[in-house]
Amino acid sequence: SYDLTQPPSVSVSPGQTATITCSGDQLGGKYACWYQQKAGQSPVLVVYQDVKRPSGIPERFSGSNSGNTATLTISGTQTVDEADYYCQAWDSVTDVVFGGGTKLTVL
Amino acid sequence: EVQLLESGGDLVQPGGSLRLSCAASGFTFSAYAMSWVRQAPGKGLEWVSSFDRGGGTFYSDSVKGRFTISADTSKTTLFLQMNSLRAEDTAIYYCARVVPSSGWSLDAWGQGTLVTVSS
């Protein structure tokens, strides 16, 4: 099976840059995307096709994907960005795969 | 406005069956692939099943042979028939729309419906 690995938690101070990684075998050769899920809410797509932002997602959210690692970067992190973040990719054998999720704390 | 509204979640005994529905509106339903994703209490997201525009169906290993995904394009509704339910199927089930040619990223999600499998 294909696995995506994320750090369980990341902490950042308001206004600083948060970096969340997602690792998988040759992940750079697949499209990666990222979801934000706030407590008690449904997930929201924040980055897709590695680097694209859906309409309505702030510019402070950006993505990259190379080698074995995809990265979600939040520049100028705000308290409203505190949430769980999940990466996701598609693999020809396993189909849709999610990472285990990263809890972002802004303090 | 794109809207997805799930229904059908309930408390069911192990071994029982349940049918989930997802009513879609605000977009051309037949032009998009759709997926079901679940989230067990306090856990992460888990892909369950997908239905592509050509009618192809895909399942995770954990539900293959027990769950069936289908769609009624005339009623713009996605379904998930769940049989032989187990305690580990307990979760919030979300339906979601797939972004075309994107590696199956999901750009619209419903509010979810809770399935509890317990005796």
Side-chain angles (χ1 to χ4, degrees):
Chain A
S1 64
Y2 189 79
D3 296 317
L4 295 176
T5 301
Q6 298 180 234
S9 62
V10 168
S11 296
V12 65
S13 300
Q16 299 303 302
T17 296
T19 301
I20 301 174
T21 58
C22 175
S23 299
D25 185 45
Q26 300 182 56
L27 180 56
K30 310 175 190 298
Y31 277 141
C33 64
W34 292 89
Y35 303 93
Q36 175 194 69
Q37 186 179 32
K38 297 183 178 179
Q41 298 184 20
S42 301
V44 173
L45 182 68
V46 294
V47 169
Y48 69 103
Q49 286 184 4
D50 299 337
V51 299
K52 297 182 178 180
R53 270 190 321 275
S55 173
I57 299 302
E59 290 185 7
R60 64 179 180 273
F61 289 87
S62 63
S64 64
N65 186 14
S66 180
N68 294 322
T69 304
T71 302
L72 175 68
T73 302
I74 309 173
S75 304
T77 306
Q78 301 180 7
T79 55
V80 295
D81 299 329
E82 191 162 281
D84 293 327
Y85 290 85
Y86 296 89
C87 62
Q88 180 240 300
W90 177 85
D91 173 73
S92 60
V93 175
T94 315
D95 290 313
V96 177
V97 182
F98 286 96
T102 298
K103 182 177 181 61
L104 176 67
T105 302
V106 182
L107 44 67
Chain B
E1 179 192 4
V2 174
Q3 288 194 333
L4 299 170
L5 184 62
E6 302 94 336
S7 61
D10 204 348
L11 170 63
V12 61
Q13 292 188 342
S17 298
L18 212 53
R19 189 193 199 201
L20 305 184
S21 300
C22 171
S25 61
F27 65 101
T28 303
F29 184 73
S30 58
Y32 288 84
M34 300 290 294
S35 291
W36 287 97
V37 175
R38 68 185 180 185
Q39 187 169 35
K43 302 297 184 182
L45 302 175
E46 179 190 11
W47 172 72
V48 173
S49 181
S50 294
F51 185 94
D52 72 16
R53 289 173 293 173
T57 57
F58 310 89
Y59 301 93
S60 67
D61 287 344
S62 61
V63 307
K64 198 171 296 182
R66 300 187 298 125
F67 290 11
T68 303
I69 190 172
S70 62
D72 183 335
T73 54
S74 64
K75 296 182 179 178
T76 64
T77 303
L78 182 73
F79 301 101
L80 186 67
Q81 177 67 43
M82 305 186 296
N83 299 330
S84 302
L85 283 162
R86 307 167 179 166
E88 54 264 36
D89 296 319
T90 294
I92 296 172
Y93 284 73
Y94 298 98
C95 77
R97 187 179 76 168
V98 178
V99 179
S101 304
S102 68
W104 289 82
S105 56
L106 306 168
D107 70 339
W109 296 64
Q111 85 292 343
T113 187
L114 177 62
V115 173
T116 303
V117 183
S118 175
S119 54

